[in-house]
Amino acid sequence: SSPKYIRYHGLLLPPSAHSMESLEFAQNFSVEDTDVFAVTYPKSGTIWMQEILPLVLSGGDLTPIQTIPNWDRVPWLEEKRLALIVDQLASPRALVTHFPYHLMPPSFLTSKAKVIYVMRNPKDIVVSSYYFHQMAQFLEDPGTFDEFMEKFLEGRVLFGKWTDHVKSWRHAELGDRIMYITYEEMVQDLPAVLRRISDFLGRNLSEDTIHKIAEHCSFKTMKANSMSNFSLVPKLYMDSDKSPFLRKGVAGDWKNHFNSEQLARFTSVIYKELEGESFSLPWSLD
Ligand code: A3P
């Protein structure tokens, strides 16, 4: 069978979405001062932030949500599709990337573009990713959960090790251009997170608008919206009979998947890799 991944600066990427040309296009991309980037490690709440950003930037305009698929409203910097749609993006532009900080294009570093970095508890990421690998036919078969967890801890998965990604963005020297939020905060109180995002982006949204956006970005509404739930993607590529893209949408599903050995191993590897770091994690891992 054909190789499932291409390698780029040590990262594994699926060739269905990425090519050397698209990665070069990303490097040469001309970032504008008004651009906003959602940055995540895969399965941390990427499409959720893709849904939110244009709504906050437009002050709650719902039309694009009903007419443009999620991935074209907020395209991936590193994927092939960007070159095709870049001229059609609404202004100010919102983009998304899974790149670690050191792979961002030079024009990003010298711009005033802002970043919203979404972190999720890695125990829930590995579970979410395990199901995603079952449905996403362009990814490697995950094997058993135990096997997949080892791959995850060793970074033999999309975009490498979670700890490397988090470290790179926690050390990014972007001052007030970057805001850090967690998936768990979003689950707990989406309107509160939307108020923070709105302030960060210099929007002054009314409470009515905040609540309207929260309703449109709820798990239930997004799961029912064909422009957001990936049901438009051919089954050959994403088989939602195996597991839907919007799967559970909760914090703490790891408790239904980890046994006590797996928990001990997972916790010790992650803590060891973050030893001596100046930042602390927002969740306890044990
Ligand atoms: P689960 O598999 O745990 O349900 P990404 O977009 O980075 O690939 O992340 C996908 C994860 O985010 C999935 O987690 C998905 O259900 C969850 N998600 C997407 N939209 C959400 C929403 N509106 N509310 C809660 N979780 C959401």
Side-chain angles (χ1 to χ4, degrees), residues 40-48 50 98 120 124 127-129 131-132 183 187 217-220 222 244-250 253:
T40 61
Y41 181 84
K43 310 322 287 179
S44 302
T46 323
I47 61 155
W48 204 356
Q50 281 169 292
H98 291 319
R120 186 181 190 184
D124 282 336
V127 170
S128 180
S129 192
Y131 286 100
F132 184 57
Y183 176 91
V187 168
C217 297
S218 73
F219 184 79
K220 204 169 150 231
M222 279 179 65
F245 192 100
L246 282 120
R247 190 185 60 92
K248 262 198 169 172
V250 300
D253 191 35

Side-chain angles (χ1 to χ4, degrees), residues 141-162:
D141 183 285
T144 65
F145 182 64
D146 207 56
E147 287 162 351
F148 185 71
M149 179 187 285
E150 278 312 308
K151 278 193 193 172
F152 178 86
L153 290 175
E154 288 167 16
R156 286 185 290 123
V157 288
L158 295 192
F159 288 92
K161 277 187 190 174
W162 177 79

Side-chain angles (χ1 to χ4, degrees), residues 48 51-52 55 62 65-66 190-191 194 207-225:
W48 204 356
E51 195 82 358
I52 289 170
L55 285 170
L62 296 178
I65 292 237
Q66 272 122 28
L190 188 57
L194 292 175
E207 274 305 297
D208 273 2
T209 305
I210 294 281
H211 285 280
K212 183 172 87 172
I213 296 175
E215 161 50 28
H216 279 270
C217 297
S218 73
F219 184 79
K220 204 169 150 231
T221 310
M222 279 179 65
K223 197 174 163 79
N225 180 357

